[in-house]
Amino acid sequence: MQPLRGFHSLAGRIGLQGQVETEAPQTRLARLVAFCLGTPRQRSEGPIRFELDAHPDGETWTRHFPQRVMRSCLRLRDGMLVEQLGAARLGFDLAEQGGTLVMQLRTLHVFGVPCPRWLMPRVHAVEIGQGRELHFQVRAALPWIGVVAGYRGHLNLATAQRTP
């Protein structure tokens, strides 16, 4: 749990390095949704550069994947972690389960319109601290459309450096 706490206590502008593997959306519609969200649209493996801008009002996460840059803004609101990703605003409950941080999707708004429960994506999003690494797994699939985002890998916490 210590690497998780260390990562989530970082403040200011910090850059980290790691490795990542991305998954390609399988359908044309899933690729369109991925394009709108800014998530990776091709399978790839390689280095990831992660930029964190953490301030009292929230955080901006910029993930430099091998073939795509994805940016989202996160903040706590009404006891939930709210992530703005393109036109989508996702609300997550956070839970610690055996040293793993689990993000459970509870709400989704697209262009400000709430998503009905039956259309909500299935999201698997976890973080695990191992040694000096933060491991992550994210996968999101929409009913009838399939996987729109999937990536997994790790960030090496020893590479954390302040950035201008």
Side-chain angles (χ1 to χ4, degrees):
M1 194 69 179
Q2 185 56 37
L4 284 173
R5 284 191 185 108
F7 173 77
H8 288 288
S9 67
L10 293 171
R13 295 175 58 102
I14 308 289
L16 295 122
Q17 306 291 324
Q19 290 291 313
V20 70
E21 179 180 341
T22 65
E23 185 176 345
Q26 295 300 306
T27 66
R28 190 171 293 189
L29 193 49
R31 285 188 291 279
L32 177 62
V33 173
F35 174 79
C36 292
L37 294 175
T39 60
R41 297 189 317 264
Q42 297 177 327
R43 186 193 178 304
S44 66
E45 285 185 55
I48 184 171
R49 186 167 47 97
F50 181 89
E51 295 172 0
L52 170 69
D53 186 3
H55 46 83
D57 296 335
E59 299 179 354
T60 300
W61 290 15
T62 306
R63 305 153 186 93
H64 296 266
F65 294 106
Q67 297 176 352
R68 183 86 167 153
V69 175
M70 181 176 122
R71 179 174 288 117
S72 62
C73 296
L74 300 97
R75 67 182 180 282
L76 290 175
R77 183 193 296 167
D78 300 326
M80 275 198 301
L81 176 68
V82 177
E83 180 175 20
Q84 187 73 42
L85 180 62
R89 188 177 71 235
L90 304 100
F92 293 95
D93 285 337
L94 302 177
E96 186 272 329
Q97 298 175 356
T100 299
L101 179 63
V102 178
M103 299 172 61
Q104 298 171 318
L105 183 64
R106 293 293 177 227
T107 64
L108 172 64
H109 292 77
V110 179
F111 293 111
V113 177
C115 179
R117 280 265 176 238
W118 61 270
L119 196 52
M120 289 281 278
R122 294 177 314 281
V123 175
H124 171 81
V126 299
E127 295 176 356
I128 305 162
Q130 295 178 343
R132 298 283 295 147
E133 295 178 342
L134 176 75
H135 291 255
F136 52 86
Q137 299 172 1
V138 176
R139 194 165 199 261
L142 285 166
W144 306 292
I145 294 175
V147 173
V148 296
Y151 56 93
R152 66 177 178 221
H154 71 273
L155 296 173
N156 183 340
L157 299 177
T159 66
Q161 292 186 329
R162 295 226 176 266
T163 60

